[in-house]
Amino acid sequence: EDQVTQSPEALRLQEGESSSLNCSYTVSGLRGLFWYRQDPGKGPEFLFTLYSAGEEKEKERLKATLTKKESFLHITAPKPEDSATYLCAAGDSGYSTLTFGKGTMLLVSP
Amino acid sequence: ETGVTQTPRHLVMGMTNKKSLKCEQHLGHNAMYWYKQSAKKPLELMFVYNFKEQTENNSVPSRFSPECPNSSHLFLHLHTLQPEDSALYLCASSQEDRGSGNTIYFGEGSWLTVV
């Protein structure tokens, strides 16, 4: 059975304090590892897709990396507007169905 | 209109009511999904439609009934729901090419409260 585990469940940072979110996965035949951002009361917003170990992608203050067992979302010098829940999902070799983690709730204080 | 749009955004219904959630995607995709999001739980896949055919039904109770009349529209018909069905219902779409990592795009969701 495919599994995705995210840690920590919640993270509080000061503005400018860099950190990383972790996503470990157990998927047979990984087709893609996806990161989403979700603001309260809204649907998940797509951030990145990673396809193979060693791949990295960046967007503004966010950088996602992938190994054979886990993915990291690095947040450099975060701002209060980065506060959100970050979701990780893994897709297997079947159709576009994803297994989601529970998410990491990030709060960045000014 | 762009992306995936869902209506209504908020719905309160009694346990004996019948209501429907509507989803429309403007991305030209060929696959659509219903997900359920409850507090403290991961997103749960409910239904998948690929080329208008239902390809997955994740053991969802029959009080939830999906309908996909074409590749751009998806409905979730609701009847005799239970209070534990209160959740955020998310519609999503993707361009499905077998074997590749296709990104799923979500709508804003419909907040359902069953009283």
Side-chain angles (χ1 to χ4, degrees), chain A residues 1-6 23-28 30 33 68-70 88-92 98-102, chain B residues 42:
Chain A
E1 182 182 339
D2 296 344
Q3 283 192 325
V4 175
T5 303
Q6 293 187 246
C23 171
S24 60
Y25 62 91
T26 306
V27 174
S28 55
L30 182 72
L33 190 292
K68 289 186 177 180
K69 293 184 179 181
E70 56 192 349
C88 169
D92 63 20
L98 302 179
T99 300
F100 278 85
K102 292 183 179 181

Side-chain angles (χ1 to χ4, degrees), chain A residues 54-100:
Chain A
E55 189 174 0
E56 299 182 352
K57 288 191 176 175
E58 290 188 62
K59 180 180 181 180
E60 296 181 356
R61 295 176 292 282
L62 301 177
K63 178 180 176 181
T65 62
L66 182 66
T67 72
K68 289 186 177 180
K69 293 184 179 181
E70 56 192 349
S71 178
F72 293 93
L73 185 65
H74 307 278
I75 304 176
T76 302
K79 297 182 177 181
E81 53 262 41
D82 294 322
S83 298
T85 295
Y86 290 85
L87 301 174
C88 169
D92 63 20
S93 55
Y95 278 108
S96 291
T97 55
L98 302 179
T99 300
F100 278 85

Side-chain angles (χ1 to χ4, degrees), chain B residues 1-77:
Chain B
E1 291 270 18
T2 57
V4 180
T5 57
Q6 291 186 239
T7 55
R9 291 296 317 280
H10 299 272
L11 178 63
V12 179
M13 60 185 289
M15 290 192 289
T16 58
N17 291 160
K18 289 185 180 181
K19 297 285 185 182
S20 297
L21 307 180
K22 179 184 175 182
C23 176
E24 183 175 2
Q25 60 98 359
H26 309 273
L27 299 169
H29 291 163
N30 58 13
M32 296 188 75
Y33 314 78
W34 281 114
Y35 279 85
K36 176 183 178 182
Q37 188 173 34
S38 305
K40 306 293 184 184
K41 288 186 176 181
L43 268 73
E44 301 171 55
L45 177 66
M46 299 176 73
F47 302 104
V48 181
Y49 276 85
N50 189 289
F51 295 99
K52 299 187 294 179
E53 293 183 4
Q54 185 174 310
T55 57
E56 188 150 345
N57 175 338
N58 237 15
S59 302
V60 179
S62 59
R63 56 187 184 269
F64 295 92
S65 175
E67 178 188 0
C68 187
N70 55 60
S71 59
S72 299
H73 293 86
L74 185 65
F75 296 89
L76 187 63
H77 303 300

Side-chain angles (χ1 to χ4, degrees), chain A residues 9 31-32 34 36 38 40-46 49 51 87 93-102 105, chain B residues 9 33 35 37 40 42-43 45 48 50 56 88 90 94 96 98-108 111:
Chain A
E9 288 187 13
R31 180 174 52 74
F34 301 80
Y36 291 85
Q38 186 173 24
K42 295 192 173 183
E45 175 190 348
F46 170 70
T49 308
Y51 296 103
L87 301 174
S93 55
Y95 278 108
S96 291
T97 55
L98 302 179
T99 300
F100 278 85
K102 292 183 179 181
M105 184 183 300
Chain B
R9 291 296 317 280
Y33 314 78
Y35 279 85
Q37 188 173 34
K40 306 293 184 184
L43 268 73
L45 177 66
V48 181
N50 189 289
E56 188 150 345
L88 179 66
L90 292 161
S94 71
E96 179 61 27
R98 193 182 294 272
S100 59
N102 308 302
T103 301
I104 292 179
Y105 295 89
F106 288 88
E108 295 287 12
W111 281 99

